[in-house]
Amino acid sequence: MKIIEMDFSVNSKDRNQMIDITSQVHAVVSESGISNGDVIVYCPHTTAGITINENADPDVPHDILLTLADLIPQNKSGYQHCEGNSDSHVKSSLIGTSQQILLNNGTLNLGTWQGIFFCEFDGPRNRKVKVQIKGE
Ligand code: ZN
């Protein structure tokens, strides 16, 4: 079994943004030469996340961000964190910082409508996404 780690950059443009990174993940998986195993997509940031959801209709990521904004307001009395981005940290913990995808015959085992999203919660920023591919 081989383990290969690679990373790529993502530039966000908005404070809250879901960016489809499926093609970048595909590219590093192809480059790894591993065709069967599993893939971990991870972001080493405290105010961002990784999720898998529908990438066919752009209204879906829009509605996810709208709902997160309703659940976790940017300004709330009682927040104590001095950077003023407590909502970003809470969203990161709710969404999580990684996803695991099965890899079969060189193809990421995503559903027809699924895509991998980098979730920015404190942009715009330059971010890093790490990908670990394990298998043969
Ligand atoms: Zn902070």
Side-chain angles (χ1 to χ4, degrees):
M1 188 185 74
K2 285 198 292 185
I3 300 176
I4 292 181
E5 289 184 20
M6 288 189 258
D7 54 53
F8 59 88
S9 295
V10 175
N11 291 303
S12 59
K13 294 183 172 65
D14 301 322
R15 185 167 191 273
N16 291 279
Q17 186 181 4
M18 288 174 66
I19 300 169
D20 187 344
I21 57 169
T22 311
S23 61
Q24 290 98 313
V25 175
H26 266 298
V28 296
V29 168
S30 297
E31 200 183 320
S32 76
I34 296 173
S35 49
N36 288 289
D38 60 280
V39 177
I40 295 171
V41 181
Y42 171 77
C43 76
H45 301 290
T46 60
T47 55
I50 303 288
T51 195
I52 293 175
N53 214 303
E54 178 171 335
N55 67 353
D57 180 358
D59 287 343
V60 172
H62 171 273
D63 292 353
I64 290 172
L65 292 176
L66 182 74
T67 302
L68 285 172
D70 280 345
L71 291 170
I72 306 153
Q74 185 173 353
N75 300 301
K76 180 177 170 178
S77 66
Y79 280 161
Q80 294 188 347
H81 178 50
C82 64
E83 287 183 320
N85 62 353
S86 292
D87 61 316
S88 315
H89 290 287
V90 174
K91 288 173 182 174
S92 171
S93 275
L94 265 186
I95 293 294
T97 53
S98 70
Q99 289 289 328
Q100 187 170 22
I101 304 120
L102 304 180
L103 177 65
N104 303 106
N105 299 318
T107 303
L108 291 171
N109 211 328
L110 292 166
T112 305
W113 309 111
Q114 283 183 320
I116 307 162
F117 289 92
F118 177 86
C119 303
E120 176 61 76
F121 298 124
D122 197 21
R125 289 183 191 226
N126 179 252
R127 301 289 207 171
K128 185 165 280 187
V129 173
K130 292 174 176 273
V131 182
Q132 184 188 71
I133 306 115
K134 277 184 292 190
E136 294 173 0

